[in-house]
Amino acid sequence: MQLVVRRDRHVPTREIDVAEGAARAVVALLADERSLPGGPWHEDVAHWSDERIRKLVRRADGKRWDDVQDLDGVTITQPGPVGYAAAAVRAFVPAPVTPLPKALDKLQVSGTQFETSGQSLVADALVTIEVSPLVAMTSGKLAAQCGHAAQLAWLAMGPNDRERWRDDGFRIRVERPDQKSWRTTERPVSVVDSGFTEFDGPTETTRATW
């Protein structure tokens, strides 16, 4: 699954807002009626879900951001605080890494980094994603890992919780617990990255609870 984050060259966007927007976009696509059995996206989503649920995060600005809106997917805008741009993220219907549509293929993957200051603005969200304090990640990697955690939470939920989350706009709060809390607390969802990028081997990156 490709994720594209809008970058504003003039106004900064916070990393935590990008992570929350990415997580929401992933779940919104999975829950979209077009992804359900009988929908035009279902076969691609089901095939991807049965294999390795890899996600790649790219960035775009200006016309390049406008161009990718024509490709099948779901865009979520996550508000930021005063002085920062909102985080807009589009999740695309899963497809092979190659060949990609030109509008996606020319967007950069590596070095995706956003402003790291501040905490989440989200209060009383049904789902909380916790980020490991033991590892460092780029903003792009963090967005992908939060997307993984949100997806696994959606798959693990019962129908009542899913409906409540849908009614709440799939809002998510991303938090960074301290090392003691991380080491001593278990959550229903744990994401272990395979270690193909940024990490030297399998590494737990995020957890989700609701």
Side-chain angles (χ1 to χ4, degrees):
M1 176 185 283
Q2 304 285 332
L3 298 167
V4 174
V5 182
R6 183 182 63 196
R7 180 180 61 176
D8 190 321
R9 292 182 178 272
H10 306 290
V11 184
T13 303
R14 298 194 311 163
E15 178 181 82
I16 195 163
D17 301 324
V18 169
E20 290 173 347
R24 290 178 61 203
V26 169
V27 180
L29 188 146
L30 295 175
D32 193 288
E33 62 180 11
R34 290 166 291 184
S35 297
L36 303 180
W41 299 350
H42 174 68
E43 185 175 345
D44 290 329
V45 171
H47 177 74
W48 171 71
S49 298
D50 287 341
E51 301 294 332
R52 183 159 57 93
I53 56 171
R54 187 182 184 191
K55 298 178 179 69
L56 292 175
V57 178
R58 302 171 184 267
R59 63 180 185 271
D61 53 26
K63 185 178 184 302
R64 290 189 174 189
W65 169 256
D66 295 337
D67 288 345
V68 298
Q69 303 307 304
D70 294 331
L71 303 176
D72 287 342
V74 174
T75 296
I76 291 291
T77 301
Q78 185 73 19
V82 174
Y84 290 86
V89 184
R90 187 167 182 83
F92 297 88
V93 175
V97 175
T98 55
L100 283 176
K102 287 185 178 180
L104 278 176
D105 195 36
K106 62 185 177 183
L107 300 180
Q108 191 167 350
V109 177
S110 62
T112 301
Q113 192 64 38
F114 292 90
E115 172 64 52
T116 58
S117 63
Q119 298 181 343
S120 174
L121 300 180
V122 179
D124 302 321
L126 177 66
V127 175
T128 298
I129 294 175
E130 297 174 342
V131 180
S132 172
L134 306 180
V135 295
M137 292 178 268
T138 64
S139 298
K141 186 72 169 180
L142 175 64
Q145 297 306 298
C146 288
H148 287 337
Q151 177 174 354
L152 294 178
W154 173 257
L155 295 175
M157 280 181 182
N160 290 338
D161 284 334
R162 283 188 177 186
E163 194 61 32
R164 288 174 55 210
W165 201 12
R166 185 194 300 273
D167 290 343
D168 193 40
F170 301 117
R171 289 189 314 126
I172 291 166
R173 178 177 174 86
V174 171
E175 297 181 346
R176 298 178 183 274
D178 58 36
Q179 291 192 19
K180 180 179 179 181
S181 176
W182 181 263
R183 294 181 189 278
T184 59
T185 305
E186 293 185 1
R187 299 301 187 193
V189 165
S190 172
V191 176
V192 178
D193 185 79
S194 299
F196 293 111
T197 60
E198 296 197 22
F199 305 128
D200 294 327
T203 303
E204 187 180 24
T205 58
T206 49
R207 298 171 181 168
T209 186
W210 59 93

